[in-house]
Amino acid sequence: MNGLLLSDLIRPLSIFALVLTHALVWLYGTTGGQRGRRSAVAYLFTFDWALVMGVTAGRSVASEGTPFWSLYTLGWGLLGVLLLALPAWLLYQLGLRFSAIFLLPVMPTDREQRELAGRTLRAYAWGLNRPFYREEFGELQKSEEGRPKPRGLIVPEGGPGLVMASSHYAVPLTTGTRDTRVGGHGLVFTGPGERPRTLVDLRPQSRSKVIHALTRDGIPVKTKVSVTAQIGREEAEGDWLYPFDSEAVFAAIQTHGVGPEGEEEEAKLEWEQIALDRGADLAQDAIARTLLDRLLESEDEGGDPPYKTLGGEVKEKLAEAMKPHGIEVLGAGLGTIEVEDEGVLEQRTEIWKASWERRRLEREAQGKAEAMRLTEEARADAQRQMITAISEALQQLKETGTPVPAHLIALRFIDVLEDVAARQPVQELLPETAQEVPAQLRLLVEQASQAEGNEEAE
């Protein structure tokens, strides 16, 4: 009686179990959209194929009179599923985990990342992954909407999502109500409810702007302020090309600015712009404490232009102001300071011209005085040399003890003049016409001596 009852129940129970299995798998697949339905069809096809192969094998060895709907046939069908469908499913799972290493930029030695990559591919195959994001030209773009589902009897929680960005970006994650963590280094897997808040560039950022300010004496001037800064790395961990400190990243992105119209403009006033605006404010304060004459000097006491000195002060104060916000200031400086009022500029030009003209006249007067002094010294030296030479020449003639003709004395005197004129100090001060005078005198004396000799001969 019991055997007959069991044989009567096998058929409806088997059909019910088969239909229920197909319905559950199909329901699971439809929650993932088109990809989920494709995966469901593949799973059901493999299951049915393994079941049919098991039943066929069982019927081929069954004895005559064994009914089709029996425990014997059911056992062979389950054996086919166990020997065919289960290995196929295991190979599929292993293939996903292995291929994830090549399809996603994960470190093969990082076990956690390998597991997350495999889970991500499995969820993607069923259409149950969370959203995928990628970085394009510094902006986050959603490449895959994803279908995150709440945990339930049929539909499990959605699989991991991911964010792919260049290695120099940090990716702060949020659930919408709180910030959770910061990922980076190229690939970030998102957890339940997480989404990327923004991209934070870890490279040094340089910004500049032209500012207008008033000097201490109320003169309007303008200059360019430049600031170079990066996310702080004091507490960064890991031997990465672009390490980051999570607290510094959150502190930087939570730094808000107020736009020109008095409204908060977070999208425009990012941390780089906040640092630049703060540097501009400090530069205006520094200029307001300095007189225009001091700003326009060529050099200060330290030998640097005043705008460089003010730039150093701005950098020091800016670094102190930005440190609580997770921003490290690498450099800050001012450009050449220009006067905006044309009238003031013309007035200062006239003052500069008068100052330089006074300096020129002073230098010119000093040069003339020095030239006069050198001329007098050269004249006195020439006179002394001439007197000494003439005295020596006359002494030599006197020592001969014989009367000396006048023309010989004159020629000797001319020799002394030529010798003195040829000396370096005197030669530089004598004009060219004066340097020819001794030769002319010599010619006249020789002509006069020759004429006198002709007269005596007659």
Side-chain angles (χ1 to χ4, degrees):
M1 181 67 181
N2 292 334
L4 181 61
L5 180 62
L6 181 61
S7 62
D8 292 338
L9 292 176
I10 287 177
R11 179 175 181 178
L13 289 177
S14 299
I15 295 176
F16 176 76
L18 189 62
V19 172
L20 180 62
T21 301
H22 283 66
L24 292 177
V25 173
W26 182 253
L27 179 61
Y28 184 88
T30 54
T31 57
Q34 186 176 5
R35 288 200 308 273
R37 288 190 292 270
R38 290 175 179 174
S39 296
V41 170
Y43 270 76
L44 292 176
F45 177 81
T46 304
F47 176 82
D48 292 344
W49 170 78
L51 183 64
V52 170
M53 294 300 295
V55 171
T56 302
R59 295 302 299 173
S60 65
V61 297
S63 61
E64 294 184 4
T66 302
F68 181 83
W69 298 101
S70 62
L71 291 176
Y72 180 84
T73 305
L74 181 61
W76 274 96
L78 295 177
L79 183 61
V81 172
L82 182 63
L83 296 179
L84 297 177
L86 183 60
W89 180 80
L90 291 175
L91 287 175
Y92 174 70
Q93 299 298 320
L94 291 175
L96 284 178
R97 175 171 294 190
F98 180 76
S99 60
I101 301 176
F102 302 96
L103 296 177
L104 297 176
V106 298
M107 292 294 293
T109 56
D110 192 331
R111 181 177 180 181
E112 182 180 359
Q113 278 205 337
R114 293 202 313 268
E115 292 180 354
L116 287 172
R119 288 176 53 196
T120 301
L121 286 186
R122 288 195 298 271
Y124 179 80
W126 283 98
L128 297 176
N129 57 284
R130 298 187 184 94
F132 292 173
Y133 299 86
R134 71 174 183 274
E135 172 257 330
E136 291 184 0
F137 305 105
E139 298 291 337
L140 275 178
Q141 303 291 337
K142 185 179 290 187
S143 59
E144 175 64 34
E145 287 291 339
R147 296 175 181 270
K149 298 294 181 180
R151 185 181 297 277
L153 179 62
I154 301 301
V155 183
E157 186 179 13
L162 58 85
V163 182
M164 297 182 65
S166 300
S167 60
H168 57 263
Y169 285 108
V171 184
L173 301 177
T174 180
T175 60
T177 57
R178 65 181 181 87
D179 295 322
T180 55
R181 58 193 175 94
V182 178
H185 313 305
L187 179 66
V188 181
F189 294 99
T190 59
E194 287 184 332
R195 57 180 175 81
R197 179 170 176 176
T198 185
L199 289 177
V200 179
D201 200 333
L202 300 174
R203 298 172 298 180
Q205 302 295 308
S206 296
R207 298 289 188 274
S208 62
K209 65 184 296 187
V210 176
I211 63 169
H212 302 270
L214 292 176
T215 63
R216 184 177 177 181
D217 41 359
I219 306 301
V221 297
K222 67 178 181 179
T223 185
K224 178 180 286 188
V225 179
S226 302
V227 174
T228 301
Q230 67 181 11
I231 300 297
R233 300 180 181 180
E234 293 183 1
E235 304 296 330
E237 298 179 356
D239 187 18
W240 298 93
L241 180 59
Y242 297 100
F244 59 85
D245 177 10
S246 298
E247 294 183 2
V249 172
F250 279 130
I253 64 175
Q254 289 168 359
T255 302
H256 301 304
V258 178
E261 301 298 329
E263 298 181 356
E264 198 170 282
E265 299 182 354
E266 298 181 24
K268 296 181 179 179
L269 298 185
E270 298 178 352
W271 69 266
E272 304 96 328
Q273 189 65 34
I274 299 298
L276 176 60
D277 291 344
R278 181 57 177 161
D281 294 339
L282 293 173
Q284 289 175 331
D285 293 341
I287 292 175
R289 297 192 301 269
T290 310
L291 295 172
L292 180 64
D293 291 341
R294 173 75 175 79
L295 291 174
L296 298 181
E297 289 179 355
S298 59
E299 292 183 356
D300 57 13
E301 296 178 356
D304 294 325
Y307 66 85
K308 286 191 176 181
T309 304
L310 291 180
E313 297 177 3
V314 170
K315 176 187 176 182
E316 183 178 351
K317 294 182 179 179
L318 182 61
E320 183 179 355
M322 292 292 102
K323 188 174 182 180
H325 300 288
I327 300 172
E328 179 184 359
V329 177
L330 302 178
L334 304 180
T336 303
I337 298 175
E338 302 177 5
V339 180
E340 294 191 273
D341 192 337
E342 294 294 336
V344 174
L345 187 59
E346 292 177 0
Q347 182 180 1
R348 289 201 59 83
T349 302
E350 294 298 326
I351 294 175
W352 285 337
K353 288 173 63 177
S355 176
W356 282 106
E357 182 65 18
R358 184 178 67 255
R359 293 183 184 180
R360 186 187 68 80
L361 294 176
E362 290 177 355
R363 294 287 180 86
E364 186 176 352
Q366 292 175 357
K368 289 181 178 179
E370 183 68 14
M372 291 177 63
R373 184 183 66 81
L374 294 175
T375 302
E376 293 299 326
E377 290 181 355
R379 181 180 292 112
D381 185 62
Q383 291 175 353
R384 184 175 62 254
Q385 293 178 6
M386 184 179 299
I387 293 172
T388 302
I390 292 174
S391 299
E392 292 177 354
L394 293 176
Q395 184 66 27
Q396 291 175 0
L397 293 175
K398 182 179 179 181
E399 290 177 355
T400 58
T402 57
V404 180
H407 71 278
L408 293 179
I409 296 175
L411 289 174
R412 183 60 177 166
F413 180 74
I414 293 172
D415 290 339
V416 172
L417 288 178
E418 289 179 341
D419 182 63
V420 172
R423 296 181 182 180
Q424 187 67 20
V426 179
Q427 187 179 16
E428 292 179 355
L429 298 175
L430 289 177
E432 293 182 0
T433 56
Q435 293 178 4
E436 299 176 357
V437 170
Q440 295 175 357
L441 291 175
R442 181 182 295 277
L443 180 61
L444 291 175
V445 171
E446 289 178 351
Q447 290 176 354
S449 175
Q450 184 177 5
E452 184 179 352
N454 292 335
E455 290 177 357
E456 292 177 357
E458 292 177 356

